[in-house]
């Protein structure tokens, strides 16, 4: 049985020379890439990719040059401007430039800044959203990020700001009261400070916290703990970034909904 | 040129009879379906789909029976239990059951409840996340849901709860202070009440609000307004659900980042 590279239906966009496509690769599992993303990979001349993009995904663009532009979490990133300018240069050289970022380009991903640089230099671009780890990664741990019995809101927050520190602009007490569920990206470095702020804001130390590292990949690890114990438990377990922290009672559903148990190793 | 139905790399999961796969179809554009979603569509015996799933997506499962299970927003949904039980029945009859939901199954999508019903009846299942409209739909309007110059947190909130009313459990003043950006799902019915609560909580009536209806589809409409004017402007524009409301200064980036202008009609 043979089929066309992409299913019929939509007119699959043609990747024109001189364009940049900003694309989210999803949280890790290559199967969570979108069809638009696959279409992009198959046409790109060059793929500029981040640390969190799986090599299996890059293998779908064998014709393209692959340029690593990864940055490491928690540190200031002086190179962001360089990355953006590299995209401009490649596009101006007539390449079809696929900028492939982990997760979604617009969820704590600095895709907005890259797009602004493209606009400033007259480079046309398209955006292809991706599955974000705070939703899809938790789903792979059996945790629904919303459940009508628990929450009518969910807050996504980044664990560090431009300076690499805990975001000073945030009103952590308000966040504690505003959403029954709080999902923290890039929180490993400052988790002690963040959880203290949430408890000072009224959150119960016994509240469930799920920590998911390397979400949706074969290396996924899940730790179930509480707001009061997470700092010690993460250290004891030796967990490393990339991590997602989910604070809230939706974590309790994991016992019931962890569908990975049906699939096995 | 011929290629295999799905790219090489991961071992694409086999859809076994008697299983249910809970899958997010994304916000509308069929190209935002994931590869795992396409793999599911090609193997399913039956597809139980919601109102917001595009027919082009269903066409990728020509071999399957298609069962409409849509509910209409804003109304109580007494049929949710019936839908969940239907999934159980179909699985117990030995079908490969693809439950296809708009957006992501776990973002205000009631996928958790459906999964619980499956567990209660011993039906094995898998979850395939989808792109949620509050991220991907805004991206198609040229709005980054986060931008480091604007926000270190974003809150997603549903505009109605189990009763069909504005969620009474929510502390709207805390939400107003907790996140520089607030994305409201299913907010059309109660937008006056919600915006009043946010302004009472301290948000500036002049703050940008973007309203996106039918996000990522050919019928997408985008209205740029303010917190103080959104109620009147949405009425004047005659906008209808499904809608996403984005409150916050990230809406200002649309002038610069609306990449649809490069693509044209």
């Amino acid at each position: 049985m043979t089929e066309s590279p992409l299913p019929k239906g939509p007119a699959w966009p043609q990747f024109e020379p001189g364009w940049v496509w900003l694309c989210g690769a999803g949280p890790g599992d290559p199967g969570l890439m979108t069809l638009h993303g696959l279409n992009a990979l198959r046409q790109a001349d060059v793929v500029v990719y981040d640390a969190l993009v799986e090599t299996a995904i890059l293998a779908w663009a064998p014709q393209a040059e692959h340029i690593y532009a990864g940055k490491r979490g928690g540190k200031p990133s002086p190179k962001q401007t360089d990355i953006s300018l590299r995209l401009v240069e490649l596009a101006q050289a007539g390449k079809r430039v696929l900028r492939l970022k982990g997760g979604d380009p617009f969820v704590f991903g600095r895709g907005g800044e890259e797009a602004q640089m493209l606009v400033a230099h007259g480079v046309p671009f398209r955006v292809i959203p991706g599955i974000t780890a705070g939703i899809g990664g938790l789903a792979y741990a059996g945790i629904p990020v919303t459940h009508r019995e628990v929450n009518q809101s969910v807050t996504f927050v980044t664990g560090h700001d431009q300076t690499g520190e805990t975001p000073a602009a945030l009103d952590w007490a308000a966040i504690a009261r505003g959403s029954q569920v709080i999902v923290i990206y890039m929180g490993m470095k400052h988790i002690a400070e963040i959880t203290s702020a949430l408890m000072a804001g009224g959150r119960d130390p016994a509240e469930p916290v799920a920590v998911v590292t390397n979400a949706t990949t074969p290396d996924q690890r899940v730790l179930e703990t509480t707001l009061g114990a997470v700092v010690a438990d993460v250290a004891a377990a030796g967990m490393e970034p990339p991590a997602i922290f989910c604070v809230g009672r939706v974590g309790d559903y994991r016992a019931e909904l962890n569908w990975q148990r049906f699939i096995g190793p």
Side-chain angles (χ1 to χ4, degrees), chain A:
Chain A
M1 180 171 114
T2 59
E3 297 194 42
S4 59
L6 286 162
K8 291 180 183 173
W12 294 104
Q14 189 170 338
F15 208 153
E16 301 287 352
W19 279 62
V20 174
W21 288 8
L22 289 174
C23 178
D29 182 347
L32 295 179
M33 172 66 80
T34 61
L35 298 175
H36 274 318
L38 180 63
N39 181 49
L41 283 159
R42 288 179 170 173
Q43 297 181 71
D45 294 316
V46 53
V47 181
V48 182
Y49 67 100
D50 278 352
L52 299 180
V53 175
E54 294 283 304
T55 53
I57 291 172
L58 294 173
W60 295 335
Q63 80 291 347
E65 181 186 2
H66 298 174
I67 299 177
Y68 178 72
K71 298 175 288 160
R72 297 302 171 181
K75 296 182 184 170
S77 302
K79 295 191 303 179
Q80 180 61 51
T81 303
D82 292 344
I83 295 169
S84 299
L85 283 174
R86 186 75 183 270
L87 300 177
V88 170
E89 287 168 4
L90 290 164
Q92 288 178 341
K95 305 287 190 186
R96 300 169 183 87
V97 184
L98 177 57
R99 174 67 174 120
L100 200 57
K101 301 170 80 72
D104 180 90
F106 284 162
V107 178
F108 307 127
R110 309 194 67 176
E113 289 164 81
E114 295 182 9
Q116 285 179 285
M117 186 72 87
L118 300 175
V119 170
H121 289 82
V123 174
F125 69 98
R126 169 185 283 269
V127 179
I128 303 174
I131 304 280
T132 189
I135 298 171
L138 293 178
Y140 270 52
I143 299 170
V145 76
T146 74
H147 190 298
R148 69 182 347 216
E149 299 296 332
V150 171
N151 62 323
Q152 289 73 48
S153 69
V154 55
T155 296
F156 296 90
V157 57
T158 177
H160 61 82
D161 64 8
Q162 293 96 318
T163 67
E165 299 306 312
T166 310
L170 288 176
D171 182 339
W172 289 94
I175 290 174
R177 287 195 303 279
S179 287
Q180 304 99 328
V181 175
I182 300 163
V183 178
I184 303 154
Y185 288 66
M186 294 170 278
M188 193 63 88
K189 183 176 173 189
H190 296 296
I191 190 62
E193 192 178 346
I194 291 167
T195 52
S196 293
L198 292 174
M199 289 185 285
R203 299 296 282 244
D204 184 349
E207 192 172 352
V209 174
V211 188
V212 186
T213 58
N214 294 301
T216 81
T217 77
D219 298 324
Q220 174 175 303
R221 291 182 66 189
V222 184
L223 173 70
E224 296 176 71
T225 177
T226 64
L227 201 50
V230 62
V231 173
D233 285 353
V234 163
M239 297 180 96
E240 300 281 348
I244 291 287
F245 295 78
C246 176
V247 178
R249 286 204 299 115
V250 290
D252 285 337
Y253 291 106
R254 173 170 155 79
E256 195 176 357
L257 302 186
N258 178 22
W259 50 272
Q260 304 280 350
R261 70 181 182 275
F262 300 122
I263 294 170

